[in-house]
Amino acid sequence: MSAVAATTGTSGATACGKTSGELRHVAIIMDGNGRWAKKRFLPRIAGHRKGIEAVRAVSRGAREQGIDVLTLYAFSSENWRRPAEEISDLMGLLRHFIQTDIDELDESNVRLRVIGDHNAFAPDLVALIDAAVERTSTNSGSTLVIGLNYGSQDEIVRAARKLAGRDPATIDAAALEAELDTGDLPPVDLLIRTSGEQRLSNFMLWQAAYAELLFVDTLWPDFGKAALAEAVATYNLRERRFGGL
């Protein structure tokens, strides 16, 4: 059962009488790890570690709510500008997450997907990511998508290059969408950004064209199942017209 059907009934009608589309795909810009640590006079890595706990909680919460696809922006193509020590810490946390959580994801019938060019990472990490993706590739439950070295503009450029040799008359929105990293996934219904920032930061610009946007003040390490449920409840109160009346 979808998250909307589970909370509003099969018609999707909300408490205020509006009708919202089925909630299949939630995408989150996970922001605020560094500020969470700074508020506690801790090193930034402490915030990133706590952020991994939030990833686990939100991933479990999404499954419990029947959300088909959860996409998390973990490492952007612009994050290479950060200090080398912090990048190393992030790569170490990514290794640890895959090694410790892949069993739970697999046993929960979750399919792990990666968008972006993760081949830019160290060879051993690339192999670890590829093995995890392959191990869960036939799972038929929900899908957890992780954005790694991901930038939406780069993704669109790569898709355009794939279409460059085709007859222009055959190229439409559906053709380009099929070449995106998310070509086989539903469009984003709800896009959440934590920490109070209100920008998309080059994240899923195409896929979120008609998404409901939700900016919350909660720092990512403090975002969990309850916060996700609240976000879904907010979504259920929205009226989606997709350009119509």
Side-chain angles (χ1 to χ4, degrees):
M1 182 180 292
S2 74
V4 169
T7 56
T8 66
T10 55
S11 68
T14 68
C16 64
K18 295 181 180 180
T19 300
S20 57
E22 182 182 20
L23 179 54
R24 297 188 61 200
H25 189 168
V26 174
I28 305 178
I29 300 174
M30 306 180 294
D31 196 11
N33 290 348
R35 274 166 282 178
W36 184 93
K38 185 177 181 180
K39 286 176 62 177
R40 291 159 177 79
F41 303 100
L42 297 171
R44 288 179 63 85
I45 184 61
H48 293 312
R49 289 195 186 103
K50 189 68 175 178
I52 291 292
E53 295 180 21
V55 168
R56 294 188 180 105
V58 171
S59 178
R60 291 164 184 161
R63 296 199 296 273
E64 291 170 5
Q65 294 195 56
I67 295 169
D68 292 336
V69 182
L70 174 66
T71 298
L72 302 176
Y73 203 8
F75 190 88
S76 77
S77 51
E78 289 74 36
N79 284 157
W80 293 108
R81 301 170 186 169
R82 295 190 176 188
E85 182 179 0
E86 181 170 353
I87 292 174
S88 177
D89 288 339
L90 290 169
M91 295 301 109
L93 287 174
L94 176 59
R95 284 188 182 88
H96 182 70
F97 174 76
I98 294 174
Q99 291 169 336
T100 58
D101 287 60
I102 189 60
D103 288 342
E104 178 183 337
L105 293 175
D106 196 21
E107 291 166 5
S108 299
N109 200 26
V110 176
R111 180 177 59 147
L112 179 65
R113 285 280 302 277
V114 170
I115 58 175
D117 182 16
H118 71 285
N119 289 307
F121 295 162
D124 66 309
L125 181 54
V126 171
L128 188 65
I129 294 168
D130 288 343
V133 169
E134 176 61 27
R135 175 176 169 180
T136 63
S137 61
T138 60
N139 288 348
S140 57
S142 62
T143 300
L144 176 61
V145 184
I146 306 293
L148 296 174
N149 192 28
Y150 173 83
S152 186
Q153 291 177 334
D154 173 70
E155 176 191 28
I156 294 171
V157 168
R158 286 188 282 109
R161 285 173 178 161
K162 294 176 184 176
L163 298 172
R166 287 179 48 171
D167 178 356
T170 68
I171 301 175
D172 56 12
L176 192 147
E177 187 171 281
E179 298 298 340
L180 297 175
D181 296 349
T182 56
D184 62 336
L185 298 175
V188 176
D189 298 304
L190 173 62
L191 190 151
I192 304 166
R193 181 169 187 149
T194 61
S195 87
E197 302 294 344
Q198 298 185 21
R199 54 181 178 272
L200 297 181
S201 296
N202 198 19
F203 181 57
M204 305 196 89
L205 304 178
W206 180 284
Q207 298 89 337
Y210 281 98
E212 294 297 313
L213 306 181
L214 183 61
F215 303 105
V216 298
D217 292 332
T218 307
L219 300 176
W220 175 248
D222 293 325
F223 197 92
K225 289 184 181 181
L228 178 63
E230 185 176 345
V232 169
T234 298
Y235 171 88
N236 289 341
L237 296 174
R238 303 278 182 91
E239 185 177 5
R240 305 183 73 193
R241 297 188 180 91
F242 299 97
L245 298 179

